[in-house]
Amino acid sequence: FGSSSDSGRPIFNQISNSNSALELFSTLSIMADMTDATKRKEPETPAEAPKADAQTEGEPSAKKPRSAVKPVDPAVIKKQVEYYMSDENLRTDRFFNEKIASDKDGWLEMALILSCNKMKALRATQEDVVAALKDSKLELKDNGASVRRPGNAPLPKLEAKPQHHQKKTMHAHDGGVVVAFKNVPADKTWTMVKESLLKKLPAKVTPWFVSEVNDARQCFVAMPPFENDIQFFEGVEVELDDAKLKAEVCYGELLQSTLKSLPKHIRDKRERESKKRQKERNRPIMVGTQKFVNVGALRGKVKEIMNSRSDGEQLKPDGTDFKLVKALLGFHPKGEEKTKGMVGIKVAKSQQGDSRCFYMVKEGGAEEDVSVKKCIDAIELDPPYVKVEKKAAPEAEEKPAEKAEEKPAEKAAEKPAEEAAAATASA
């Protein structure tokens, strides 16, 4: 309503001077149309048709090319497949063992080999495996569709796979081992379990607590800590008449639930012993000729050695870093076997991923990666503590004794001199 007419008078005044309601309504309608017209946008132009794809049939894609895939090392593939088919692996690998045993001629489908995580990480194909095994003793058939051991060698007897616990559970039994005996016969009691266990334990070692046999026919035992206690219980069996019950060291949820069921004074004992062991572990260790305040300091030094080298760089054989890593490899569970023929050590990218690791350079130029983590874990389980030699007694304490021994001798020497002086005087 604030707009002005051509005559210069406000439109509102023009409307107010009108004598007809019809004129008023017409004027208001015209003004509304004018206002809408100013608000409306220009009619939109028809949307442009999408541009034709520049790519025509047969032309390469416009997407960014992927980075070139690193070629697979045949030696790594050969080593991995031979390990899968070895006695060492098949002794504990139930799946492969049973698959091979189910085939009368001992063949294993290559697809099963390729489905393993390490083979997936290598991005190996069936053709890669065939090429890698051309000089291997393993046998192939149907262009590598199946593989078997040399001459269909007999399979090793299946054994229980050793338990490898994570670092966070490595010290779960510092305050004393907690074990479970399962499948206790219905007519047997906790006292029978205890009596049978006492016959197996080292001298002067007695259980802190033995639980009642629960509804699941389980009996739990809390032990005081003693040397190599975990290793001891991994091979213990108690005999209850005809029944043989194998001790099972508790971990995870089983351990937590068992600890909650223990009497408070037993839990307090475990806590005190655990703190004592932790304090004992925080002592200097010796690896090779180098001393470290604790295992954590050793781990930091190894990381520093690795990070300060570029990929493919060898450690200097006469350097302290080389000597430390070489000594560290001696703690590997298969250290003696792995380091045989080693003439050098280098840092390079791992074949199993994007991480870096140490490689042993063998005679003839062959290279083999090695897990330093396994070495440090072994040290943590059984630390090579620095031996503290007993100090000799201070010299100051020895002098009075020496003087005491000399006095009688001095007196004996003085007597002949006195006698000679007396004889001279009488003469």
Side-chain angles (χ1 to χ4, degrees):
F1 290 102
S3 301
S4 298
S5 66
D6 293 340
S7 61
R9 289 183 303 157
I11 293 176
F12 184 82
N13 291 339
Q14 294 180 36
I15 295 170
S16 62
N17 292 334
S18 300
N19 296 324
S20 170
L22 183 59
E23 290 178 358
L24 174 63
F25 180 75
S26 300
T27 306
L28 290 173
S29 297
I30 292 168
M31 289 177 64
D33 291 339
M34 290 171 60
T35 305
D36 289 341
T38 57
K39 288 182 180 178
R40 277 199 305 268
K41 295 180 181 179
E42 291 294 324
E44 294 180 359
T45 55
E48 292 181 6
K51 293 179 181 180
D53 192 355
Q55 181 184 349
T56 56
E57 225 176 282
E59 290 185 0
S61 171
K63 290 181 181 179
K64 288 184 179 180
R66 291 183 179 179
S67 55
V69 178
K70 187 178 178 181
V72 185
D73 186 351
V76 176
I77 295 176
K78 178 183 176 185
K79 176 185 172 184
Q80 192 61 43
V81 177
E82 287 181 342
Y83 169 74
Y84 287 142
M85 303 298 287
S86 68
D87 284 354
E88 180 185 358
N89 178 61
L90 293 173
R91 192 174 287 116
T92 56
D93 191 330
R94 179 176 294 276
F95 180 76
F96 275 176
N97 192 306
E98 291 179 350
K99 284 290 182 183
I100 295 172
S102 66
D103 187 281
K104 64 178 182 178
D105 295 323
W107 292 102
L108 179 68
E109 292 180 17
M110 186 63 72
L112 295 175
I113 294 282
L114 295 173
S115 68
C116 296
N117 289 333
K118 289 191 176 180
M119 297 300 288
K120 287 179 180 178
L122 293 172
R123 297 182 179 179
T125 64
Q126 182 173 312
E127 291 73 20
D128 294 330
V129 177
V130 171
L133 296 180
K134 64 181 180 180
D135 296 325
S136 174
K137 292 182 180 179
L138 294 178
E139 300 174 14
L140 299 173
K141 78 169 184 177
D142 299 336
N143 295 322
S146 299
V147 59
R148 76 173 179 185
R149 287 150 61 85
N152 193 16
L155 292 168
K157 185 180 178 182
L158 269 173
E159 298 175 3
K161 197 167 187 177
Q163 301 265 341
H164 296 292
H165 302 288
Q166 296 179 358
K167 187 184 173 185
K168 64 182 179 181
T169 64
M170 190 178 290
H171 303 299
H173 295 281
D174 279 354
V177 178
V178 176
V179 296
F181 291 96
K182 299 181 178 180
N183 302 317
V184 180
D187 60 335
K188 307 302 178 186
T189 64
W190 68 273
T191 54
M192 296 178 180
V193 174
K194 181 179 178 180
E195 289 170 3
S196 180
L197 179 60
L198 282 170
K199 297 175 184 177
K200 305 279 184 175
L201 291 173
K204 299 182 180 180
V205 176
T206 307
W208 276 342
F209 178 79
V210 181
S211 76
E212 295 276 356
V213 179
N214 61 21
D215 294 338
R217 311 311 305 165
Q218 297 173 332
C219 179
F220 298 94
V221 181
M223 296 294 304
F226 58 91
E227 190 174 355
N228 297 324
D229 45 8
I230 293 179
Q231 292 89 329
F232 172 83
F233 276 105
E234 285 177 348
V236 163
E237 279 186 347
V238 297
E239 298 176 3
L240 304 178
D241 293 336
D242 295 335
K244 289 185 179 182
L245 309 180
K246 186 174 176 61
E248 180 183 329
V249 181
C250 299
Y251 288 99
E253 291 181 6
L254 182 61
L255 175 61
Q256 296 306 315
S257 61
T258 306
L259 291 178
K260 288 177 183 177
S261 68
L262 295 178
K264 185 178 182 302
H265 71 280
I266 299 296
R267 294 200 303 269
D268 292 343
K269 269 187 180 183
R270 290 188 86 256
E271 185 67 24
R272 287 194 297 270
E273 290 296 331
S274 179
K275 289 180 179 178
K276 191 188 296 184
R277 275 196 173 182
Q278 288 171 12
K279 187 176 180 181
E280 289 174 356
R281 274 201 308 273
N282 197 26
R283 287 159 40 201
I285 60 172
M286 181 77 75
V287 178
T289 58
Q290 298 186 46
K291 187 188 294 185
F292 299 89
V293 292
N294 51 35
V295 177
L298 168 64
R299 189 179 284 108
K301 179 61 179 177
V302 172
K303 189 175 181 181
E304 177 192 320
I305 293 172
M306 192 171 292
N307 291 341
S308 63
R309 263 73 179 185
S310 57
D311 288 343
E313 183 178 350
Q314 289 203 26
L315 308 185
K316 295 180 180 178
D318 56 346
T320 55
D321 289 351
F322 178 89
K323 292 174 182 176
L324 172 63
V325 176
K326 183 179 179 182
L328 183 61
L329 296 181
F331 290 90
H332 192 283
K334 299 179 182 177
E336 186 177 350
E337 176 188 337
K338 278 188 168 291
T339 56
K340 190 175 181 180
M342 184 181 74
V343 295
I345 301 171
K346 76 173 189 177
V347 176
K349 282 187 178 179
S350 171
Q351 294 283 353
Q352 308 299 335
D354 295 330
S355 59
R356 304 169 81 227
C357 65
F358 289 106
Y359 280 80
M360 297 178 295
V361 181
K362 302 292 187 73
E363 296 171 350
E367 296 177 357
E368 181 182 352
D369 60 339
V370 62
S371 172
V372 174
K373 181 182 179 300
K374 289 183 180 179
C375 303
I376 296 178
D377 285 349
I379 287 177
E380 197 162 16
L381 284 172
D382 187 16
Y385 292 122
V386 175
K387 293 181 181 179
V388 180
E389 296 181 1
K390 293 182 179 180
K391 295 181 179 179
E395 293 182 5
E397 294 179 9
E398 293 177 359
K399 285 181 180 178
E402 289 174 2
K403 287 181 179 179
E405 291 175 0
E406 288 174 1
K407 282 181 180 178
E410 288 175 1
K411 287 181 179 179
E414 286 173 0
K415 282 182 180 180
E418 289 173 1
E419 290 173 359
T424 305
S426 62

